[in-house]
């Protein structure tokens, strides 16, 4: 399966979780084989699928590098939350 098809498949799976059961598309999409030799490509396709999902939902015309910045910021915010650190405040000693 080529890169673009994998991206569309992963993106459709993301959309499906927000759809009513009768509107879901996953029954029509091809299965992606889980293989060690293609895991790097699969993870990259997942990232691109999340980016495409983000772009469609927000109408933001962002590129992959800009999207990786958003992902890093979200992860940073969650780590701060997990450790009780409020952004904009100095950490407690």
């Amino acid at each position: 399966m080529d890169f673009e098809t994998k991206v569309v498949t992963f993106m459709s799976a993301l959309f499906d979780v927000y759809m009513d059961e009768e509107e879901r598309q996953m029954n029509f999409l091809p299965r992606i084989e889980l293989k060690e030799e293609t895991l790097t490509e699969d993870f990259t396709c997942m990232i691109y699928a999340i980016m495409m999902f983000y772009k469609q939902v927000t109408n933001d015309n962002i590129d992959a590098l800009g999207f990786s910045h958003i992902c890093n910021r979200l992860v940073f915010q969650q780590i701060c939350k997990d450790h009780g650190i409020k952004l904009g405040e100095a950490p407690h000693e």
Side-chain angles (χ1 to χ4, degrees):
M1 182 180 302
D2 67 10
F3 188 90
E4 290 79 18
T5 302
K6 284 183 180 181
V7 170
V8 170
T9 301
F10 286 124
M11 188 183 71
S12 296
L14 286 170
F15 272 107
D16 271 2
V17 300
Y18 294 101
M19 302 291 239
D20 290 330
E21 199 170 310
E22 63 275 0
E23 296 174 329
R24 293 185 180 176
Q25 298 178 25
M26 284 308 295
N27 294 334
F28 305 103
L29 296 172
R31 179 179 184 274
I32 297 174
E33 291 289 328
L34 184 59
K35 299 178 190 174
E36 187 174 345
E37 60 270 10
T38 60
L39 280 178
T40 298
E41 179 178 281
D42 289 354
F43 291 138
T44 305
C45 290
M46 289 177 202
I47 293 166
Y48 271 69
I50 295 168
M51 179 182 69
M52 290 175 64
F53 179 79
Y54 169 85
K55 289 170 71 169
Q56 285 191 9
V57 169
T58 64
N59 292 318
D60 190 358
N61 189 21
I62 195 166
D63 64 8
L65 189 58
F67 183 70
S68 72
H69 173 73
I70 290 171
C71 292
N72 287 329
R73 184 176 179 139
L74 292 171
V75 169
F76 178 76
Q77 288 173 348
Q78 186 62 45
I79 289 170
C80 288
K81 181 180 175 183
D82 292 345
H83 290 87
I85 301 168
K86 293 184 180 178
L87 295 177
E89 295 182 4
H92 301 284
E93 294 183 17

